[in-house]
Amino acid sequence: MDLFQYDFMLRALVGALIIGLAAPALGIYLVQRRLALIGDGLGHVALTGVGAGLLLNRSPVLVAVIAATLGAVVIELVRAYGRTSGDLALALLFYGGIAGGVMLVGLSDASSGSLNAYLFGSLTTTSRTDLITIGVLGAVLLVTMLVLRPALFAVCHDEEYARVSGLPVRALNLLIAVGTAVTVTIAMRAVGVLLISALMVVPVATAQQVTRGFRSTMTAAMALGLFAAGTGVWVAATADTAPGASVVLVAIGSFLLVALAAAGVRALRRRVRADRATPPPEPVEHEVLLR
């Protein structure tokens, strides 16, 4: 039976494809800045927003966007001006965010199933309104990351050089932080706050195994994100597994396969170069012994 004949599965597939395309487009900048785990921290802050939305009878997604955006701005300001290190600021968001979310959800009338839907994702319950929100935010995020790619790359690669070149470094850093918050919020429906960073980071890490330039890595990462999202939803529909976990496992499996294949190709190339560099053996003259 073709499960994609149902509207909810089609919405799940389209939503996953949008997120699979947009998340690596933002994630490559986080990997470049060595902030691969910021998605987890903001995911936990978004969970606090979800709890606040459920408690106040407001849209959990909208409140989560606001909470994650504020958290992203705080991280950037702490990193730039505070004495606390970036890792410590992320740790505070990790623990405070999830603790606040669990407490607020407990105070609301929502069931534990509502919390699990945001922790681990609930892609098959995506409504038409959710899909429109994911599509609009994902399109804005994707266009922004592509149009501003030279400036964002300059900031992520060498912040001092970008500042000397006249780029608005502080504004661009805040843009990356806010973009991360938006990505976390739209990906929350697909993979859940506990697995958000995987969809932003793993396709980028996979692409880095076979590409060299920033543009080619970004393109390959977006293609791998699409593949992981589409294949993960298909696996979930076929094997009756959790869509979010299936998407992440497909992404990790792709990384392992590509990493092993790339390692094998590099080893083969080294062997071929070594064989070419080794001079052929000199001919040995055989002496004829006369008796």
Side-chain angles (χ1 to χ4, degrees), residues 9 14 27 39 60 65-66 83 91 101 104 110 115 130 133 146 149 161 165 176 190 195 214 256 276 278 290:
M9 286 303 302
V14 173
V65 170
I66 298 173
R83 295 183 179 180
L104 291 176
L115 179 62
D130 292 334
T133 303
L146 292 177
R149 177 172 56 193
Y161 175 79
S165 300
I176 293 176
L195 298 174
F214 185 83
L256 294 176
R276 290 178 178 176
T278 303
L290 300 177

Side-chain angles (χ1 to χ4, degrees), residues 29-94:
Y29 299 107
L30 300 181
V31 173
Q32 187 74 21
R33 296 181 65 186
R34 302 184 186 278
L35 290 174
L37 293 180
I38 192 174
D40 283 330
L42 292 181
H44 289 73
V45 175
L47 184 62
T48 299
V50 170
L54 294 174
L55 181 62
L56 300 174
N57 292 323
R58 297 292 187 268
S59 171
V61 175
L62 178 60
V63 182
V65 170
I66 298 173
T69 301
L70 292 176
V73 173
V74 168
I75 288 179
E76 181 57 32
L77 294 178
V78 168
R79 188 187 70 85
Y81 300 110
R83 295 183 179 180
T84 305
S85 65
D87 291 341
L88 183 56
L90 281 177
L92 293 175
L93 285 179
F94 262 71

Side-chain angles (χ1 to χ4, degrees), residues 261-278:
V265 171
R266 287 193 294 267
L268 181 61
R269 288 177 177 176
R270 286 194 298 267
R271 184 173 180 178
V272 170
R273 285 196 296 266
D275 291 341
R276 290 178 178 176
T278 303

